[in-house]
Structure formats: structure tokens, C-alpha cells
Amino acid sequence: MRQSTKAVRAVAAFPRQHRASAARACSLIALVFCAAAFEPGGAARGAETEADAAPNAPIVSPNTSLLDAPAESVVEIRGQRFPQQPGRIQVLLNAQHPIRNDGDAQVYISADKVERIRNDASKTEEDKISFRLPKDIALGRYHVALQMRAQTLADGTEVKAQTIRVPGELRVITREPPKITAVKPITGYPGEKNRFQFELTGEHFARDADDNAILINGSAIPRIRGCKVKTVDHTKDASCVLLSDDARTLSVYGYKADPYQGPVTVQVRANGMTSVEQPMLLSRIPRNQALPLAIVGALALTGMLIALVWSGLGRYRIGQERYSPFAVFFLDKATNTYSLSKLQLFAWTAAAVFGYIYLMIANLLIQWKFAMPDLPDGLPLLLGISAGTTVTAIGITNQFGGKGSGPVHPSAADFITSGGLIAPERFQFFIWTVVGIAGFLSLLLLADPSTLHQMPKLPENFLTIMGISSGAYLGGKAVRKAGPIIKTFAIRAIAPPAALTKDDKRPDGKDPAKPVIVLNLKGDNLDVKSTIKLDDKVLRSDQFWITPRLLPEPPSTMSGEVDAYLDLGNIDPMQPASLLEGEHTLTLVNGDGQSASLRFPLDPMKIKSSEPDPLRPGSAPVPVTLTVENYSDGTTAIWKAPHVDDEVGVPKPVKAATQGGANPPPAPAVTGTAAAASVRVTVQITPGSREGDGTVILVSALGLRASRTIAVAKPIPGPAPAPAGPAVPPAGPAAVPAAPDPDDVPEDGVPHPRTNGDTHG
């Protein structure tokens, strides 16, 4: 104890500015003593025991109450029998946390004044010690102790050096009220179970997080006392408040807002003072919900419009393909192509409507604004340009004719092409439309919905360039020649050379050697001097010719109806009948390069299956059941037995093929009647004696064909197969179908409609 007392005396004897360094140089025993002075039952308690043993020893009044005090203020401690010389008393402040800038947790202060006063309450004499807090002392909480040097009292009593702890604690506070300099985020979005978190940055906060009260709309929020780590307790309404190491940031976690608590004010109360109010916004919905809600709203509106179109128009069919009501919005039915003028009108309208829905959601559910938002400058003018372009384009089409219809089915290429050719002015208009809409929506969706007050403004120069692009698009429609449009077509005939009339003759007067397919085309701007592509292959002039059915007015070569003649012998000399089976694409190309395409026939006949398969070799007729799509009345059949005809591609008459002998068997009989899109027909076939692959061919009344390969093979030895069914006697060339296959009948129970003029299904 004596050694520790000497250490304390040595520290106290140093000049004030060097005492901190001297204290660190104390012996280990002295430092242990200094720490023990602040522990219950430690040196302070020992000093009190010594004071009790020495009646004249100094004591601290148990009624002493340390108050909150700012730096440079005077602190008073009352007691009895204090030394009257201030230099004999040293005040030790021991911080609860090492928060001094120099890292030292202890502050030594010499008593400034000791005086004797009268306590009016107890009518006794008391001593009072006064000391002034340093200017640079760190804010926070301190334990206070008095270190007294050894002294001799007036009565000769020797008082040893001792340390006396002062009850309570001293809080060093700032003279300035707390100040909030920033609220992050300015808009709080609810998290799990509608809890918020935010940060308050500022100065002059209390050094202990629990000493800072957070006020929302003037009321202190419930909080978890002693919260040291980020905590969100969903079972309680209390929030966790953490203080940064530099005491400049308060982090609030798990705040539960009251109902309808949107725009609020936030304050901090510390050291008995309250900060100025700062605004903060508490959103109704999480930030990532604004966009999905806007999408749902836009889809609901779109669905309503599609339902209206569906109820009035239904699906649209081009050839065998059907198009949804959504595609109908962009289709130009005159050309069966997608319309650029419709696209830009609907696209800008959709972007504006979606943006307005998104803005309304942001205003109502995030910003708590109950008013219709304003439209940005330039948007009404842009929508006017868009609508005017569409209306003007319709007028130009009616006056001068439209673009060529191009490929059979519409595609995205229609937006930048005219009759299969890229049009520069259409490309420019399309690109600026896409760039404008993409930029408009990007600026809208990337903005913070809490600060979004209106949709993006459209600059004047952007409106100028959209107007220029629109004008160029309309000018191109006006000056470009109208392209070919095929509205309807029909296979008028598959005529042998002898059946061609004078009007059907080739312009050069030569007679074809093989049958000719005659296609009748009706539409607009059909050039009698057009070239023809068949299945993407350009035909030579000797492979086709075109005859106008409606004579054009000179000097124009455009007609509204023409006949196109395809010379099968010149197109495919080896297999001229190949064009009579399956689907083929014919493209009519005008002199300026614009084109129009069609696929013929619209509903080709197809043999889907045959039973039985394979057939057993033999010379007796065998009934074979065929499942046929797009069957038509008047159909006949041909059977080509295996290895009968080595001369590939030579067309045969419509009768049964030979079996290698001199006398051919009769033509296979076909029984059945016309039915729906898919029927089953029975054909009497004589397989022949040789094994291999035979071919059954159905020929429509018009001359179009469908074929299927059927194997002829000996059965594998084993149990005799079940009989194929009773033989049906020949019934002549007509094919009569059995009952329709239920799986092949459409859901509506009726055959699908066919395009006008398709006489063969």
C-alpha cells in the first residue's frame, strides 16, 4: 500500500501537462492500485475504512451528486476535513471507455479551490472542492476520485495519502445541441414485416447510444436498451440504435412505422437538447415492387384491349397459320405485313401509358401524393406527331398504293422493308422510334421512385428529328412505286399442252412439251413483265410466262389480275410431277424489285398413315386404309409396285403400274366420300410379286398429288397374322372415305376455312 501511495504522490507531483505520461510510467503496483480505486471493495473502500479508523480523516459527502457538465465548466465536490491547500488534492477522472484522442483513459486535474461553507440543511460546516474541466476533454462518462497527499492536521493528527471515490458518475457533455446533417436514405423502404432502417449523420450526439433519443414526429420511438450489434426483433416494436465510433452516425434498425405514417420528421434528443427537425419519407411498399405493380397494371389494360379485339375479330389467318389478336394490332391486312406506322403509334402510346402508371404508383404508394401527375413537356406533341403519321400514311396508301406484300408470312423485317427491299427512310424512322422509347423508359425506370415527380422530358431537338424521320417515311411512301399485292389466287388448271387455248399460249408461240400449272392471281400492282421465283429459285423466261386477265392501261404494265403459267417440263425435266405434290412458294417480282409471295396449294393433300404396312407380296388385291389430310372428292389412286419402273421421273398414266409382265393389272380401286380435314379411305392395291418399296399416289380431280411409300415384304416365320379384313370389291376410280377420325376433327367440329380461290383444299 505504501508503494502504491508513493506512486500516486509521484504522479501528482509532476506538472499538469506531464502527468499523463508520468502515470503511464508508474510501477505495476501503483497502476493496480489506481484501477482498484474504482472497484467495489477496492482501495476506495479501504480508504473509507481508514477514515473510519481515523476520525479526523477527509470524507466525501454521501449526498454529493455529480451532474452533467460541458467542457471548461466548474465541478464541485462536497465533504469534510479536506486539506485547505488545493495543491494537496488531485482529481482523477477515469473514463468508462477509452475515448480520448490520445488513447489515455485517465485525466488528472488539480483542484482549483477548497473552501469551507455552511450546509443550511444540516447546520454543519462542510468543505467544498472546485475544479474546472479541461477544454479538450473528450465527451462521455467518467468515474471521479480524489487523491489526497499525506498531511498533518491542526490537532497534530497525521493523515496518510489516500484515494477517495466520489459516488455516481460525471457526464461530460457538449454545450451545443445535437445536429442532424444528413438522413440516409431520405426515403425509407419497408423490409421484412414492414420494418425500416435508416441512418442519421450529424454532430454533438451523446457518446453513449442509449443517451440519444430518436424522435419521429416529436415522439421518442421505443428502443432496445444496451443494443450493441445490429438487431431486428420482429416480436417487439422496439428499435435497435447503434452509435458509430466517432459518435457522428446513429443507425436505427427495425423501426416499425405507424399506419398511414408517410412523410415524417426525425430529431435526436441528447444532453437535454433536441435537434432541428429533418424530413424523412416512409414508403408504403418496397422499392422493388413499384415496377411489378406497373407491369401488372399495363398487362391488365393490354388484356382488356386484346379481349375487345378478340370478341370482334378473333384470330387472323394467313395460309395455314393463325395470328393472335395482339399481332392484329400491327398487321396491315391489305398486304399481310406488319405496319411501321402502326408500330410507332402503338409503341409510343404504350410507353406513355406505362410510364404514367408507373409514375402514379410512385407518387401514391411511395411519395404519398394524392394527385394526378403532370405530363412532361414534349410528350403530347410527340404523340400528335405519331398519330398524324399513321393517319397520313393511310391516306397515301389509298391514293398512291401500298408497299409490296413481300414474303408469305409477316415478320419483323416488314418494319424496315417494302416488298422485300430495305427502305432507308423506313429504317431511319424505325431506329429513332426504338432509341427514343428505350431512352424514355430507361430514364423513367432508373430514377429513384421516391424523387420521381414527372416522366422524362423530351427535348425539342429530339422532337425535331422525330418529325424529320416521320416526314421522310411519308415522303418515301408517296414517291416510291406501289408494290405488288396478291390478295387471292387459285390453281385454275393443270393443263396438258393440247388443252391450252389461244389465250393460254406462250408469247413466243411455242407449245410446251409437258403439262402446265396455271395460277390465277388477283391483287394490286401485278406487273405483267415480272420475273418469278419458285421455291427461291429464279425461273428462266422459257420456264414461265404471264398473261394479263385485266389489260393494264398503257404505258403502265400493272394489272389487277394475271395468269402465271409454270412449264413443268422445262422447270424439272426429270421429275415434272414433283411440283404437283406438297407446298411450293411462288414469288412475283416487279421491275423495281418489290415482290409478293404465295404458297400453293393452300391446303395440300397429305397421306399421314397406311394400314397394313408392310404388305405381303401377291397378285391379289389387298385393301389398304389411308389416313388423308385435305381429301377432296373425285380423287383417284395410283400404285407403283417395287422395282417396276427403272426409268425414274417418267410420269405414268393414272392406272396401276405393271408387275413386270405384259398385261398390267387393273388400276387400284378407291372407295370413300369427302369428309373433314382428315379422313380414312380404302384403296385396293395389288402388291406385286417382288419385295421392296412401293408407292401409293392419290391424285385429286385437279391433278395435285400426295404419295406415301409402303413396303412389300415376306412375313417373318411364325404365327399367322390376323386377317387384314374382308376384301372390298373394286368400285371404280372414285375414292370414298370411311368415317372421319375423331382425333383429326377440329374442336369446333367443322373443317377449317380455306382461302378464297383454293379449289383443291
Side-chain angles (χ1 to χ4, degrees), residues 708-727:
R708 181 176 178 85
T709 299
I710 301 178
V712 177
K714 292 181 179 180
I716 299 175

Side-chain angles (χ1 to χ4, degrees), residues 357-377:
I357 293 174
Y358 182 78
L359 181 60
M360 288 183 65
I361 291 174
N363 282 195
L364 180 62
L365 299 182
I366 296 179
Q367 303 176 27
W368 294 75
K369 291 182 178 179
F370 300 93
M372 296 287 287
D374 293 332
L375 290 174
D377 295 339

Side-chain angles (χ1 to χ4, degrees), residues 494-500 506 511-517 545 566-577 647 649-652:
I494 300 176
L500 295 177
R506 296 173 60 97
D511 293 330
K514 301 294 182 181
V516 175
I517 298 178
W545 68 92
L566 305 179
D567 189 342
L568 300 181
N570 280 336
I571 293 175
D572 192 349
M574 300 300 296
Q575 294 182 341
E647 191 175 359
V650 176
K652 288 292 186 179

Side-chain angles (χ1 to χ4, degrees), residues 519-554:
L519 287 169
N520 178 255
L521 311 179
K522 295 180 180 179
D524 296 325
N525 310 308
L526 305 178
D527 195 344
V528 296
K529 295 184 178 181
S530 296
T531 58
I532 288 181
K533 291 196 297 184
L534 188 62
D535 296 331
D536 292 329
K537 177 183 177 182
V538 179
L539 298 185
R540 303 188 309 269
S541 59
D542 63 332
Q543 294 174 327
F544 76 96
W545 68 92
I546 298 174
T547 301
R549 303 286 289 184
L550 295 177
L551 296 177
E553 297 182 4

Side-chain angles (χ1 to χ4, degrees), residues 285-617:
I285 59 174
R287 178 174 181 173
N288 58 2
Q289 284 189 7
L291 178 58
L293 288 176
I295 293 176
V296 170
L299 290 178
L301 186 59
T302 303
M304 181 183 68
L305 295 176
I306 291 179
L308 293 175
V309 175
W310 185 288
S311 63
L313 301 178
R315 286 180 174 269
Y316 184 69
R317 175 174 170 174
I318 301 176
Q320 294 182 340
E321 293 192 23
R322 295 178 179 271
Y323 292 83
S324 67
F326 180 77
V328 174
F329 277 98
F330 307 101
L331 273 175
D332 177 8
K333 293 186 178 181
T335 59
N336 284 337
T337 60
Y338 289 128
S339 168
L340 177 57
S341 61
K342 290 183 178 181
L343 171 72
Q344 57 88 30
L345 175 60
F346 289 132
W348 273 116
T349 302
V353 171
F354 172 79
Y356 199 76
I357 293 174
Y358 182 78
L359 181 60
M360 288 183 65
I361 291 174
N363 282 195
L364 180 62
L365 299 182
I366 296 179
Q367 303 176 27
W368 294 75
K369 291 182 178 179
F370 300 93
M372 296 287 287
D374 293 332
L375 290 174
D377 295 339
L379 184 59
L381 179 57
L382 179 63
L383 293 177
I385 293 174
S386 180
T389 301
T390 303
V391 173
T392 306
I394 295 174
I396 292 175
T397 299
N398 293 334
Q399 181 67 27
F400 301 103
K403 65 176 182 176
S405 56
V408 177
H409 297 288
S411 67
D414 295 338
F415 296 127
I416 61 173
T417 60
S418 176
L421 297 177
I422 294 179
E425 73 281 358
R426 297 177 66 89
F427 176 80
Q428 181 192 47
F429 193 28
F430 176 79
I431 287 296
W432 275 112
T433 299
V434 172
V435 169
I437 293 176
F440 179 83
L441 293 179
S442 298
L443 293 174
L444 179 74
L445 298 179
L446 293 179
D448 187 348
S450 65
T451 60
L452 187 64
H453 304 301
Q454 68 174 12
M455 289 186 286
K457 293 183 178 180
L458 299 175
E460 292 185 3
N461 52 2
F462 178 78
L463 296 176
T464 301
I465 199 168
M466 286 301 297
I468 293 174
S469 298
S470 174
Y473 163 73
L474 295 175
K477 288 183 69 68
V479 301
R480 183 181 292 106
K481 289 183 178 180
I485 300 172
I486 300 175
K487 296 180 178 179
T488 62
F489 73 91
I491 300 179
R492 190 160 63 87
I494 300 176
L500 295 177
T501 65
K502 183 178 64 174
D503 295 334
D504 296 328
K505 296 293 184 178
R506 296 173 60 97
D508 57 8
K510 296 181 180 180
D511 293 330
K514 301 294 182 181
V516 175
I517 298 178
V518 184
L519 287 169
N520 178 255
L521 311 179
K522 295 180 180 179
D524 296 325
N525 310 308
L526 305 178
D527 195 344
V528 296
K529 295 184 178 181
S530 296
T531 58
I532 288 181
K533 291 196 297 184
L534 188 62
D535 296 331
D536 292 329
K537 177 183 177 182
V538 179
L539 298 185
R540 303 188 309 269
S541 59
D542 63 332
Q543 294 174 327
F544 76 96
W545 68 92
I546 298 174
T547 301
R549 303 286 289 184
L550 295 177
L551 296 177
E553 297 182 4
S556 174
T557 58
M558 301 297 176
S559 174
E561 181 179 359
V562 298
D563 282 342
Y565 298 81
L566 305 179
D567 189 342
L568 300 181
N570 280 336
I571 293 175
D572 192 349
M574 300 300 296
Q575 294 182 341
S578 62
L579 288 177
L580 301 178
E581 185 171 348
E583 282 187 300
H584 303 277
T585 301
L586 181 142
T587 302
L588 194 70
V589 184
N590 280 6
D592 61 354
Q594 296 193 70
S595 63
S597 299
L598 60 90
R599 290 187 67 82
F600 71 93
L602 283 178
D603 299 310
M605 184 166 52
K606 298 178 182 178
I607 303 176
K608 298 172 61 177
S609 64
S610 61
E611 298 176 7
D613 190 356
L615 301 177
R616 298 173 61 178

